[in-house]
Amino acid sequence: MNSCSKNDGGVNIFSIEDDKNLGLQVKQEIESNPAQYPLISKSANPDAYTYLEGIRNDILASGELSHKDDFAWEVNIINDDSTLNAFCTPGGYIYVYTGLIKFLDNKSSLAGVLGHEMAHADKRHSTEQLTKAYGIQTLLSVALGDNQGLLTEIASSLVSLSFSRSDESEADKYSVIYLCPTKYRADGAADFFQKLESMGTSNPPEFLSSHPNPDNRIQNIESEANSLGCSTTITQQEEVNSYATFKSGL
Ligand SMILES: [Zn+2]
């Protein structure tokens, strides 16, 4: 692990290689637990993967990610209609639940959520949170190979790691920055949070337990898109109709 600090002032003692290795460990853990993570394989539903990977490629082509060429940016679908969530490991392994896909109504809102998840990985929020949670001394002992069990524990805890509200604000902001040069509505993530809000707080979805709501979330996303002067070129056919086809294939 190389000591390095992030440009927003947060401390992160992990290296880019550490992020990639931790992400790969989480991926392996997920794949070894099909009861909890019933993955849809690419060969089982190539059309759904083509659709999602197309959105991912458009986001990567924005030129706004710092680690576009470092991280895996691998999309995976989890077949669980009852879970309204998505997450991205360090190193860019992205997981989207069918529950979230079916909850949304258009392609830009899914692009917004994907952009948000990709921002968590690109801004390296997980390893920053881990640096805080485990302490630098403990993590250095992992680096020295003294504590293999802890490394496994860290990989496990990543799946359920909660971000801070400032991480959430940053991921929301970068979702807009990533989408702005694309054809999608740059404030697509706001649709998702608006719809979540309309569900009320009595039964908060999984997404909000790992991605806590910052203040004025929806308003901040919309003002970011306005201040950047983002425009959209997506057609109604692609925005709504293609999304309905994508959903019905899941
Ligand atoms: Zn988040």
Side-chain angles (χ1 to χ4, degrees), residues 116-117 120 163 168 171 207 211 217:
H116 175 102
E117 296 303 331
H120 280 308
F163 294 111
E168 286 308 304
F207 188 91
H211 303 260
R217 178 167 223 164

Side-chain angles (χ1 to χ4, degrees), residues 117-135:
E117 296 303 331
M118 290 166 76
H120 280 308
D122 199 57
K123 298 292 159 195
R124 308 184 59 220
H125 290 156
S126 292
T127 43
E128 189 183 285
Q129 291 293 330
L130 287 171
T131 303
K132 274 189 214 157
Y134 285 88

